[in-house]
Amino acid sequence: MYNILVCDDDKDIVEAIEIYLQQEDYKVFKAYDGEEALKILESEDISLLIIDVMMPKLDGIRATKKIRETSSIPIIILSAKTEDSDKILGLNVGADDYMPKPFNPLELVARVKSHLRRYTKLGNAAEDNKQVFTVGGLSINDELKEVTVDGNNIKLTPIEYNILLLLVKNQGKVFSINQIYESIWNEDAIGADNTVAVHIRHIREKIEINPKEPKYLKVVWGVGYKIDKG
Amino acid sequence: MPVKKYGVIKKAIALIIQMVCTAVLAVSIFILFSTFDKSMFKDGRLTEVDYFATENFQNDLTNELKGLFNYIQLRNSFETGGNYNLDKIVDIRDYMESGIITGIDDSGVSYTVRDLIEWGKMGIKREAVSIRDRSGRVTELDNAIKEEFYTVSGESLVTLYRRGTIDSLESFMQFQEDLEKTIKDLPEEVLNYKQQTTKYKNENTNLRYLVVCNSSLYTNVKLTDGKTTLEDIGKDIMSGSVFMHIESKPLLFESSHMDIQAEMYRSIDALKSFNNSDYSIYVSVDTSLPAADSLKSAHATYEKLHSWFWTCLVTGIASLIGFIITITYLTLITGYRDSNKKVYLNAFDGLYTEVAIAILVLAIVLIRYEVDRVYSASVAKTGTFYNVMLLGAVSFVLDALVLSGYLSIIRRNRAGTLYTNSLLYATTTPVKTAIGTKAITLRTGVLYILTMAAFTGLAYLAFGKQLQIAGIVFVFFIIIVGTFLIRESFLRKRVIDGAAKIADGDLDFKIDTNGLKSDNLLIAEIINTAGEGISKSLEDQIKSEKLKADLITNVSHDIKTPLTSIINYVDLIKREDIKDPKIQSYIAVLEEKSQRLKHLTEDLVEASKISSGNIEIVLTDIDFKELVSQTEGEFIDKFEGKNLELCTNVPEGSVHIIADGMRIWRVIENLYNNVAKYALANTRVYVDLSVSEDMAELSIKNISSQALNISAEELTERFIQGDISRSTEGSGLGLSIARNLTTLQGGEFNIYLDGDLFKVTVAFPLVTEEFKQENGRITEDNNDQTV
């Protein structure tokens, strides 16, 4: 049972989120402006904060800044402002995630789970095994041929597994379709083939919360694919 | 810097000093000129000279001697044996011809001096007479002289004519004429003779003379007993320091002033009495000047004025300096009240320049005229002192007038009204304005007429054989026209260059209108204004686009919050265990529409941003082929779901283009989405990547599921979809976003419609060597390009 604080000046949104989170057995605290949220954070043992940006009294950005002075709990910002500059600002002041409105409630729940798992379990999950590769919440145990995201087991086909392993092993490096093809199939890539691209999409659909905005397996359009260093 | 005041008192003092200086300068110059004598200039420096050594004296002496010779001639005419003879016979013809009275009746028409003087007193009367010549022919004269006196022979002219002594009518008329003139002139000469006799009497003149002429002896020297011969008397006369001795036989001229020789001979030769006979002349001047004659008064004037010479030299120089200083000072400060250099004009400066000048000139002329009148009326009875004073006063007044005119011109010039406040300007400005602003044809016409007039003038000069003048004028004309044309074309080039610059998009560029005239100036100003106008309207347009984008962004923010609740609660309802299929279908509609609303708001914000150019583009090296493969990987399932067969055709090897990875993905994604949404199910979709010289082009062809009854252009307009499909899932902004994004990246976007065939092509520039060197291949760590 984790305590989650939801802060938004729109009561209906707060209540809807409460319903979803309660279904997942989280205890929800509600606040309707930044100041209220700060008060609850002081008095209660909160594990995660979901906060709106545009609010009266104290807005989400300034509240996040203040919270970060004393606390390291995961903070997910919700906002109708969807421009890159808004996202960058939110993440820079210390938020862990940024969800544009309107959001898919199930995605929000998934992200909440992911952040909580990382916040509470990471650290002791670090294994010394050289056959284990991790990037953020993504972990590949090459010995067991096992892939987990935030502790959840993911089922991948052998080719999908090999592609993911190649990218995870070479974190930060961009692989073009041909390079991936050649190293997985061990034969020359002839002509255009969307096989690799299709596999990549499938991998994303399996490991990402929102495949359209991948957290792990990223597309460098017109160049290739990569997994950022975790 | 403290402000320096130029008060009225300061100016008035300067003015008065200036006028006094002018008067003093004029007087000084006058005195200097009238007393300066060449003889004073010896060995290069000024020295004091005795009056009798001056040139002035030489001139005075010459005049005096001329008078004397004249007197001698008069004596010769009117005296017989040294005494005034009233009975002396005057031959009127001789008298008229030579001016002397010989005492001999040559022509037969002679009268006595007495008769003529008497006749002169009576005056000439006229009457009508009929005269008859020797042959008896009668002539009627209605205006003949009434003959009061007869000739010495006791006859009248009429009688002489009848007798034949006067042999023709012409001769008769000539005698009448001569008679009339003699009657008028002779009494005058007698009067003159009498005056001169007094003048050259011993006690009245400082001249001592002895003249032998026409065997008569004329002298004012007492002939003493001891010296009986002429030579002795002559030597006695010449013992003085100023003397002259002239002999005609043998030719001799000796004098204390040899410079007067030529003038003496000239005046002697002009006199008939001397001309026709031998003569001896002895003259001397008693330098003690006992008699009050003109030499004495000249001497006195010279002495009087000469004592002023050195004073005047000093005052002249001093007043000249004063003059220059005050005029400079006045020139510098006129029109100013302090050192702030603001120009103040007075009432006089308000007059037209020409009018002011005319008033001054008129005043000056009037004064001069008045001075002449006063001067000529008073010259006889007044002396040098009066003249000097008059000169000073006149100079004073004239200076005041000239100075006020001069200073007014300076002030006008300073205030810039010298020309603008002139009649010339006032009269030519309307004409100029008319020329400048009326139709160009009028101006051209005027120019044409002027040119023609100039050529006509030239032709006139040339035909008048004034070829040199014509040549000079022609060369002058050519130079002026040439200069004008060259200048004009230089200026026009400036205007053209400026216009070209503005046309090239440099809307802030301004043509320098300095030195431009008439047409060029007008064109330059119009172009500048047009540039400003375009620039401004462009700015306004950008501003309004930005405003629109901001408005759309803000509105969509406000839409998104309630939309979030709708989506969330629709989802929550869906999770309730609802059995009723009718309600389930309602919920499905709600869910679909709320999702569509979500896409719409997102696309709307994106489209408005792109079309207002409000996004950042980062151009890098992109492999178009890789991109196509990646995109197909994303869409293959969707296509398969609609049973669309994808036929992709790409060249071998990679295709490197210049684009922004994120943006080009949005373009291609939109195009594939378009296909997925609107392609007719169970058809083929053709994707072709081709490379031309400098572009790589991707074309996507599919069969539309709906009839495309609009134009290709309309398809990319915002909110336009293929008509019927408007009610389906898209926002209608996809193609618009794709097109604008492509253009922003420097690519080309085209749509072709042929029946149900929908074809879209996007082309991007290939990577150049230049671009490679500048940017290099995208690095592996470049996170900006990731999704």
Side-chain angles (χ1 to χ4, degrees), chain B residues 541-578:
Chain B
Q541 205 182 326
I542 289 167
K543 219 162 138 192
S544 85
E545 276 291 330
K546 175 108 183 16
L547 223 63
K548 205 157 66 180
D550 287 349
L551 178 75
I552 290 170
T553 310
N554 289 335
V555 167
S556 59
H557 285 163
D558 291 343
I559 293 169
K560 278 172 188 170
T561 306
L563 188 58
T564 308
S565 287
I566 294 169
I567 289 169
N568 290 353
Y569 284 97
V570 166
D571 188 64
L572 284 172
I573 293 169
K574 216 170 73 181
R575 283 158 175 272
E576 296 300 321
D577 196 14
I578 291 161

mmCIF file of all heavy atoms in Angstrom, chain B residues 541-578:
data_model
loop_
_atom_site.group_PDB
_atom_site.id
_atom_site.type_symbol
_atom_site.label_atom_id
_atom_site.label_comp_id
_atom_site.label_asym_id
_atom_site.label_seq_id
_atom_site.Cartn_x
_atom_site.Cartn_y
_atom_site.Cartn_z
ATOM 1 N N GLN B 541 1.447 40.633 -40.992
ATOM 2 C CA GLN B 541 1.002 39.288 -41.315
ATOM 3 C C GLN B 541 1.645 38.288 -40.369
ATOM 4 O O GLN B 541 0.976 37.412 -39.816
ATOM 5 C CB GLN B 541 1.402 38.985 -42.759
ATOM 6 C CG GLN B 541 0.539 37.940 -43.415
ATOM 7 C CD GLN B 541 1.018 37.654 -44.815
ATOM 8 O OE1 GLN B 541 1.499 38.548 -45.495
ATOM 9 N NE2 GLN B 541 0.920 36.419 -45.236
ATOM 10 N N ILE B 542 2.966 38.430 -40.181
ATOM 11 C CA ILE B 542 3.680 37.522 -39.282
ATOM 12 C C ILE B 542 3.103 37.636 -37.877
ATOM 13 O O ILE B 542 2.863 36.635 -37.201
ATOM 14 C CB ILE B 542 5.186 37.857 -39.278
ATOM 15 C CG1 ILE B 542 5.804 37.458 -40.616
ATOM 16 C CG2 ILE B 542 5.892 37.141 -38.135
ATOM 17 C CD1 ILE B 542 7.182 38.002 -40.834
ATOM 18 N N LYS B 543 2.856 38.907 -37.497
ATOM 19 C CA LYS B 543 2.332 39.154 -36.168
ATOM 20 C C LYS B 543 0.973 38.479 -35.999
ATOM 21 O O LYS B 543 0.707 37.824 -34.989
ATOM 22 C CB LYS B 543 2.172 40.664 -35.980
ATOM 23 C CG LYS B 543 2.557 41.148 -34.592
ATOM 24 C CD LYS B 543 2.788 42.630 -34.649
ATOM 25 C CE LYS B 543 2.213 43.385 -33.495
ATOM 26 N NZ LYS B 543 2.226 44.826 -33.769
ATOM 27 N N SER B 544 0.120 38.613 -37.009
ATOM 28 C CA SER B 544 -1.224 38.071 -36.878
ATOM 29 C C SER B 544 -1.176 36.546 -36.922
ATOM 30 O O SER B 544 -1.947 35.872 -36.244
ATOM 31 C CB SER B 544 -2.137 38.629 -37.962
ATOM 32 O OG SER B 544 -2.025 37.894 -39.148
ATOM 33 N N GLU B 545 -0.234 35.968 -37.711
ATOM 34 C CA GLU B 545 -0.075 34.512 -37.734
ATOM 35 C C GLU B 545 0.320 34.027 -36.347
ATOM 36 O O GLU B 545 -0.182 33.021 -35.848
ATOM 37 C CB GLU B 545 1.012 34.107 -38.750
ATOM 38 C CG GLU B 545 0.513 33.987 -40.184
ATOM 39 C CD GLU B 545 -0.426 32.794 -40.373
ATOM 40 O OE1 GLU B 545 -0.264 31.793 -39.640
ATOM 41 O OE2 GLU B 545 -1.336 32.886 -41.219
ATOM 42 N N LYS B 546 1.250 34.763 -35.751
ATOM 43 C CA LYS B 546 1.757 34.395 -34.426
ATOM 44 C C LYS B 546 0.628 34.476 -33.409
ATOM 45 O O LYS B 546 0.466 33.587 -32.569
ATOM 46 C CB LYS B 546 2.894 35.361 -34.061
ATOM 47 C CG LYS B 546 3.470 35.212 -32.698
ATOM 48 C CD LYS B 546 4.861 34.598 -32.791
ATOM 49 C CE LYS B 546 5.526 34.340 -31.451
ATOM 50 N NZ LYS B 546 4.715 34.350 -30.274
ATOM 51 N N LEU B 547 -0.160 35.555 -33.574
ATOM 52 C CA LEU B 547 -1.281 35.762 -32.673
ATOM 53 C C LEU B 547 -2.282 34.617 -32.801
ATOM 54 O O LEU B 547 -2.803 34.095 -31.823
ATOM 55 C CB LEU B 547 -1.960 37.088 -33.037
ATOM 56 C CG LEU B 547 -2.357 37.986 -31.883
ATOM 57 C CD1 LEU B 547 -1.133 38.443 -31.117
ATOM 58 C CD2 LEU B 547 -3.154 39.175 -32.387
ATOM 59 N N LYS B 548 -2.499 34.209 -34.059
ATOM 60 C CA LYS B 548 -3.447 33.139 -34.335
ATOM 61 C C LYS B 548 -2.944 31.842 -33.702
ATOM 62 O O LYS B 548 -3.705 31.111 -33.049
ATOM 63 C CB LYS B 548 -3.597 32.978 -35.849
ATOM 64 C CG LYS B 548 -4.899 32.386 -36.261
ATOM 65 C CD LYS B 548 -5.281 32.733 -37.684
ATOM 66 C CE LYS B 548 -4.358 32.132 -38.694
ATOM 67 N NZ LYS B 548 -4.698 32.457 -40.087
ATOM 68 N N ALA B 549 -1.640 31.574 -33.884
ATOM 69 C CA ALA B 549 -1.054 30.358 -33.338
ATOM 70 C C ALA B 549 -1.188 30.356 -31.821
ATOM 71 O O ALA B 549 -1.560 29.338 -31.218
ATOM 72 C CB ALA B 549 0.419 30.265 -33.738
ATOM 73 N N ASP B 550 -0.895 31.533 -31.223
ATOM 74 C CA ASP B 550 -0.998 31.631 -29.764
ATOM 75 C C ASP B 550 -2.433 31.391 -29.302
ATOM 76 O O ASP B 550 -2.675 30.676 -28.325
ATOM 77 C CB ASP B 550 -0.555 33.021 -29.283
ATOM 78 C CG ASP B 550 0.951 33.174 -29.398
ATOM 79 O OD1 ASP B 550 1.612 32.138 -29.646
ATOM 80 O OD2 ASP B 550 1.445 34.307 -29.242
ATOM 81 N N LEU B 551 -3.363 31.980 -30.055
ATOM 82 C CA LEU B 551 -4.776 31.841 -29.695
ATOM 83 C C LEU B 551 -5.188 30.371 -29.733
ATOM 84 O O LEU B 551 -5.794 29.852 -28.802
ATOM 85 C CB LEU B 551 -5.628 32.668 -30.664
ATOM 86 C CG LEU B 551 -7.134 32.579 -30.430
ATOM 87 C CD1 LEU B 551 -7.514 33.391 -29.210
ATOM 88 C CD2 LEU B 551 -7.908 33.052 -31.649
ATOM 89 N N ILE B 552 -4.804 29.705 -30.839
ATOM 90 C CA ILE B 552 -5.173 28.295 -31.000
ATOM 91 C C ILE B 552 -4.566 27.461 -29.878
ATOM 92 O O ILE B 552 -5.230 26.606 -29.277
ATOM 93 C CB ILE B 552 -4.725 27.783 -32.391
ATOM 94 C CG1 ILE B 552 -5.609 28.441 -33.464
ATOM 95 C CG2 ILE B 552 -4.798 26.269 -32.458
ATOM 96 C CD1 ILE B 552 -5.143 28.213 -34.871
ATOM 97 N N THR B 553 -3.279 27.735 -29.552
ATOM 98 C CA THR B 553 -2.607 26.993 -28.490
ATOM 99 C C THR B 553 -3.346 27.181 -27.165
ATOM 100 O O THR B 553 -3.634 26.207 -26.457
ATOM 101 C CB THR B 553 -1.158 27.484 -28.341
ATOM 102 O OG1 THR B 553 -0.559 27.499 -29.621
ATOM 103 C CG2 THR B 553 -0.360 26.576 -27.422
ATOM 104 N N ASN B 554 -3.655 28.455 -26.867
ATOM 105 C CA ASN B 554 -4.312 28.719 -25.593
ATOM 106 C C ASN B 554 -5.696 28.076 -25.518
ATOM 107 O O ASN B 554 -6.065 27.489 -24.497
ATOM 108 C CB ASN B 554 -4.446 30.227 -25.371
ATOM 109 C CG ASN B 554 -3.097 30.850 -25.098
ATOM 110 O OD1 ASN B 554 -2.189 30.161 -24.631
ATOM 111 N ND2 ASN B 554 -2.960 32.122 -25.412
ATOM 112 N N VAL B 555 -6.455 28.202 -26.627
ATOM 113 C CA VAL B 555 -7.804 27.624 -26.638
ATOM 114 C C VAL B 555 -7.707 26.118 -26.468
ATOM 115 O O VAL B 555 -8.458 25.503 -25.701
ATOM 116 C CB VAL B 555 -8.542 28.000 -27.939
ATOM 117 C CG1 VAL B 555 -9.800 27.164 -28.096
ATOM 118 C CG2 VAL B 555 -8.889 29.479 -27.934
ATOM 119 N N SER B 556 -6.747 25.506 -27.146
ATOM 120 C CA SER B 556 -6.665 24.047 -27.055
ATOM 121 C C SER B 556 -6.265 23.595 -25.651
ATOM 122 O O SER B 556 -6.669 22.535 -25.191
ATOM 123 C CB SER B 556 -5.740 23.469 -28.119
ATOM 124 O OG SER B 556 -4.468 24.018 -27.974
ATOM 125 N N HIS B 557 -5.438 24.435 -24.959
ATOM 126 C CA HIS B 557 -5.146 24.116 -23.554
ATOM 127 C C HIS B 557 -6.429 24.022 -22.761
ATOM 128 O O HIS B 557 -6.630 23.104 -21.976
ATOM 129 C CB HIS B 557 -4.273 25.214 -22.921
ATOM 130 C CG HIS B 557 -2.860 25.143 -23.360
ATOM 131 N ND1 HIS B 557 -1.980 26.181 -23.216
ATOM 132 C CD2 HIS B 557 -2.170 24.159 -23.957
ATOM 133 C CE1 HIS B 557 -0.823 25.834 -23.714
ATOM 134 N NE2 HIS B 557 -0.908 24.612 -24.165
ATOM 135 N N ASP B 558 -7.298 25.041 -23.007
ATOM 136 C CA ASP B 558 -8.539 25.083 -22.235
ATOM 137 C C ASP B 558 -9.470 23.933 -22.587
ATOM 138 O O ASP B 558 -10.290 23.527 -21.774
ATOM 139 C CB ASP B 558 -9.246 26.426 -22.467
ATOM 140 C CG ASP B 558 -8.468 27.573 -21.842
ATOM 141 O OD1 ASP B 558 -7.602 27.271 -20.990
ATOM 142 O OD2 ASP B 558 -8.712 28.736 -22.207
ATOM 143 N N ILE B 559 -9.349 23.452 -23.840
ATOM 144 C CA ILE B 559 -10.203 22.336 -24.254
ATOM 145 C C ILE B 559 -9.710 21.023 -23.625
ATOM 146 O O ILE B 559 -10.482 20.161 -23.246
ATOM 147 C CB ILE B 559 -10.238 22.221 -25.803
ATOM 148 C CG1 ILE B 559 -10.964 23.448 -26.375
ATOM 149 C CG2 ILE B 559 -10.915 20.919 -26.236
ATOM 150 C CD1 ILE B 559 -10.834 23.577 -27.881
ATOM 151 N N LYS B 560 -8.370 20.935 -23.510
ATOM 152 C CA LYS B 560 -7.781 19.665 -23.090
ATOM 153 C C LYS B 560 -8.185 19.249 -21.672
ATOM 154 O O LYS B 560 -8.380 18.060 -21.405
ATOM 155 C CB LYS B 560 -6.260 19.746 -23.166
ATOM 156 C CG LYS B 560 -5.729 19.501 -24.576
ATOM 157 C CD LYS B 560 -4.253 19.774 -24.620
ATOM 158 C CE LYS B 560 -3.719 19.747 -26.029
ATOM 159 N NZ LYS B 560 -2.348 20.243 -26.047
ATOM 160 N N THR B 561 -8.322 20.215 -20.772
ATOM 161 C CA THR B 561 -8.633 19.848 -19.386
ATOM 162 C C THR B 561 -10.004 19.160 -19.264
ATOM 163 O O THR B 561 -10.076 18.045 -18.755
ATOM 164 C CB THR B 561 -8.517 21.086 -18.483
ATOM 165 O OG1 THR B 561 -7.224 21.644 -18.675
ATOM 166 C CG2 THR B 561 -8.682 20.712 -17.020
ATOM 167 N N PRO B 562 -11.076 19.788 -19.767
ATOM 168 C CA PRO B 562 -12.360 19.050 -19.698
ATOM 169 C C PRO B 562 -12.331 17.752 -20.513
ATOM 170 O O PRO B 562 -12.937 16.764 -20.114
ATOM 171 C CB PRO B 562 -13.373 20.038 -20.278
ATOM 172 C CG PRO B 562 -12.585 21.080 -20.974
ATOM 173 C CD PRO B 562 -11.249 21.145 -20.328
ATOM 174 N N LEU B 563 -11.561 17.780 -21.614
ATOM 175 C CA LEU B 563 -11.482 16.578 -22.453
ATOM 176 C C LEU B 563 -10.876 15.411 -21.660
ATOM 177 O O LEU B 563 -11.281 14.255 -21.804
ATOM 178 C CB LEU B 563 -10.647 16.891 -23.697
ATOM 179 C CG LEU B 563 -10.604 15.821 -24.791
ATOM 180 C CD1 LEU B 563 -12.010 15.505 -25.294
ATOM 181 C CD2 LEU B 563 -9.724 16.279 -25.942
ATOM 182 N N THR B 564 -9.892 15.760 -20.821
ATOM 183 C CA THR B 564 -9.271 14.731 -19.984
ATOM 184 C C THR B 564 -10.332 14.036 -19.125
ATOM 185 O O THR B 564 -10.387 12.808 -19.060
ATOM 186 C CB THR B 564 -8.218 15.365 -19.063
ATOM 187 O OG1 THR B 564 -7.350 16.141 -19.849
ATOM 188 C CG2 THR B 564 -7.440 14.299 -18.305
ATOM 189 N N SER B 565 -11.195 14.854 -18.508
ATOM 190 C CA SER B 565 -12.252 14.281 -17.674
ATOM 191 C C SER B 565 -13.180 13.412 -18.495
ATOM 192 O O SER B 565 -13.554 12.317 -18.084
ATOM 193 C CB SER B 565 -13.048 15.393 -16.997
ATOM 194 O OG SER B 565 -12.265 15.964 -15.980
ATOM 195 N N ILE B 566 -13.553 13.908 -19.690
ATOM 196 C CA ILE B 566 -14.477 13.132 -20.538
ATOM 197 C C ILE B 566 -13.877 11.763 -20.847
ATOM 198 O O ILE B 566 -14.510 10.715 -20.649
ATOM 199 C CB ILE B 566 -14.792 13.901 -21.844
ATOM 200 C CG1 ILE B 566 -15.580 15.177 -21.519
ATOM 201 C CG2 ILE B 566 -15.563 13.017 -22.823
ATOM 202 C CD1 ILE B 566 -15.707 16.142 -22.679
ATOM 203 N N ILE B 567 -12.607 11.771 -21.299
ATOM 204 C CA ILE B 567 -11.970 10.507 -21.674
ATOM 205 C C ILE B 567 -11.899 9.571 -20.459
ATOM 206 O O ILE B 567 -12.242 8.387 -20.540
ATOM 207 C CB ILE B 567 -10.568 10.784 -22.263
ATOM 208 C CG1 ILE B 567 -10.704 11.423 -23.646
ATOM 209 C CG2 ILE B 567 -9.761 9.492 -22.346
ATOM 210 C CD1 ILE B 567 -9.419 11.967 -24.213
ATOM 211 N N ASN B 568 -11.482 10.161 -19.346
ATOM 212 C CA ASN B 568 -11.333 9.337 -18.142
ATOM 213 C C ASN B 568 -12.666 8.719 -17.700
ATOM 214 O O ASN B 568 -12.745 7.529 -17.409
ATOM 215 C CB ASN B 568 -10.772 10.174 -16.989
ATOM 216 C CG ASN B 568 -9.322 10.530 -17.241
ATOM 217 O OD1 ASN B 568 -8.719 10.045 -18.201
ATOM 218 N ND2 ASN B 568 -8.761 11.379 -16.393
ATOM 219 N N TYR B 569 -13.727 9.561 -17.686
ATOM 220 C CA TYR B 569 -15.005 9.040 -17.185
ATOM 221 C C TYR B 569 -15.681 8.100 -18.172
ATOM 222 O O TYR B 569 -16.355 7.146 -17.768
ATOM 223 C CB TYR B 569 -15.917 10.198 -16.761
ATOM 224 C CG TYR B 569 -15.468 10.774 -15.432
ATOM 225 C CD1 TYR B 569 -14.669 11.904 -15.365
ATOM 226 C CD2 TYR B 569 -15.802 10.123 -14.241
ATOM 227 C CE1 TYR B 569 -14.216 12.403 -14.157
ATOM 228 C CE2 TYR B 569 -15.350 10.610 -13.026
ATOM 229 C CZ TYR B 569 -14.567 11.760 -12.984
ATOM 230 O OH TYR B 569 -14.131 12.219 -11.787
ATOM 231 N N VAL B 570 -15.453 8.347 -19.468
ATOM 232 C CA VAL B 570 -15.975 7.399 -20.468
ATOM 233 C C VAL B 570 -15.328 6.029 -20.221
ATOM 234 O O VAL B 570 -15.992 4.989 -20.209
ATOM 235 C CB VAL B 570 -15.705 7.879 -21.901
ATOM 236 C CG1 VAL B 570 -15.921 6.751 -22.909
ATOM 237 C CG2 VAL B 570 -16.612 9.061 -22.249
ATOM 238 N N ASP B 571 -14.023 6.084 -19.952
ATOM 239 C CA ASP B 571 -13.306 4.837 -19.702
ATOM 240 C C ASP B 571 -13.832 4.162 -18.428
ATOM 241 O O ASP B 571 -13.992 2.945 -18.380
ATOM 242 C CB ASP B 571 -11.819 5.134 -19.561
ATOM 243 C CG ASP B 571 -10.997 3.862 -19.503
ATOM 244 O OD1 ASP B 571 -10.997 3.121 -20.511
ATOM 245 O OD2 ASP B 571 -10.379 3.606 -18.436
ATOM 246 N N LEU B 572 -14.118 5.011 -17.418
ATOM 247 C CA LEU B 572 -14.632 4.448 -16.157
ATOM 248 C C LEU B 572 -15.997 3.801 -16.361
ATOM 249 O O LEU B 572 -16.270 2.725 -15.835
ATOM 250 C CB LEU B 572 -14.717 5.530 -15.080
ATOM 251 C CG LEU B 572 -13.374 5.929 -14.465
ATOM 252 C CD1 LEU B 572 -13.523 7.140 -13.559
ATOM 253 C CD2 LEU B 572 -12.771 4.754 -13.694
ATOM 254 N N ILE B 573 -16.836 4.450 -17.156
ATOM 255 C CA ILE B 573 -18.173 3.871 -17.441
ATOM 256 C C ILE B 573 -18.015 2.533 -18.136
ATOM 257 O O ILE B 573 -18.675 1.553 -17.799
ATOM 258 C CB ILE B 573 -19.002 4.844 -18.315
ATOM 259 C CG1 ILE B 573 -19.344 6.120 -17.534
ATOM 260 C CG2 ILE B 573 -20.288 4.161 -18.799
ATOM 261 C CD1 ILE B 573 -19.908 7.225 -18.399
ATOM 262 N N LYS B 574 -17.046 2.514 -19.056
ATOM 263 C CA LYS B 574 -16.832 1.296 -19.827
ATOM 264 C C LYS B 574 -16.489 0.125 -18.896
ATOM 265 O O LYS B 574 -16.780 -1.029 -19.156
ATOM 266 C CB LYS B 574 -15.687 1.547 -20.810
ATOM 267 C CG LYS B 574 -15.863 0.849 -22.144
ATOM 268 C CD LYS B 574 -14.826 1.315 -23.165
ATOM 269 C CE LYS B 574 -13.461 0.754 -22.857
ATOM 270 N NZ LYS B 574 -12.442 1.218 -23.822
ATOM 271 N N ARG B 575 -15.811 0.445 -17.789
ATOM 272 C CA ARG B 575 -15.358 -0.593 -16.877
ATOM 273 C C ARG B 575 -16.504 -1.124 -16.002
ATOM 274 O O ARG B 575 -16.383 -2.175 -15.396
ATOM 275 C CB ARG B 575 -14.263 -0.025 -15.978
ATOM 276 C CG ARG B 575 -12.970 0.055 -16.716
ATOM 277 C CD ARG B 575 -12.052 1.073 -16.081
ATOM 278 N NE ARG B 575 -10.797 0.985 -16.789
ATOM 279 C CZ ARG B 575 -9.844 0.138 -16.425
ATOM 280 N NH1 ARG B 575 -9.969 -0.611 -15.363
ATOM 281 N NH2 ARG B 575 -8.749 0.060 -17.145
ATOM 282 N N GLU B 576 -17.577 -0.315 -15.917
ATOM 283 C CA GLU B 576 -18.741 -0.820 -15.178
ATOM 284 C C GLU B 576 -19.339 -1.977 -15.969
ATOM 285 O O GLU B 576 -19.274 -1.994 -17.202
ATOM 286 C CB GLU B 576 -19.776 0.303 -14.986
ATOM 287 C CG GLU B 576 -19.313 1.464 -14.129
ATOM 288 C CD GLU B 576 -18.930 1.045 -12.712
ATOM 289 O OE1 GLU B 576 -19.612 0.179 -12.139
ATOM 290 O OE2 GLU B 576 -17.912 1.590 -12.189
ATOM 291 N N ASP B 577 -19.882 -2.873 -15.302
ATOM 292 C CA ASP B 577 -20.397 -4.074 -15.962
ATOM 293 C C ASP B 577 -21.749 -3.766 -16.588
ATOM 294 O O ASP B 577 -22.803 -3.941 -15.979
ATOM 295 C CB ASP B 577 -20.507 -5.202 -14.937
ATOM 296 C CG ASP B 577 -20.648 -6.542 -15.637
ATOM 297 O OD1 ASP B 577 -20.386 -6.558 -16.876
ATOM 298 O OD2 ASP B 577 -21.012 -7.516 -14.988
ATOM 299 N N ILE B 578 -21.668 -3.235 -17.798
ATOM 300 C CA ILE B 578 -22.911 -2.837 -18.451
ATOM 301 C C ILE B 578 -23.321 -3.899 -19.456
ATOM 302 O O ILE B 578 -22.543 -4.259 -20.343
ATOM 303 C CB ILE B 578 -22.757 -1.468 -19.130
ATOM 304 C CG1 ILE B 578 -22.606 -0.376 -18.052
ATOM 305 C CG2 ILE B 578 -23.964 -1.157 -20.008
ATOM 306 C CD1 ILE B 578 -22.009 0.894 -18.543
#
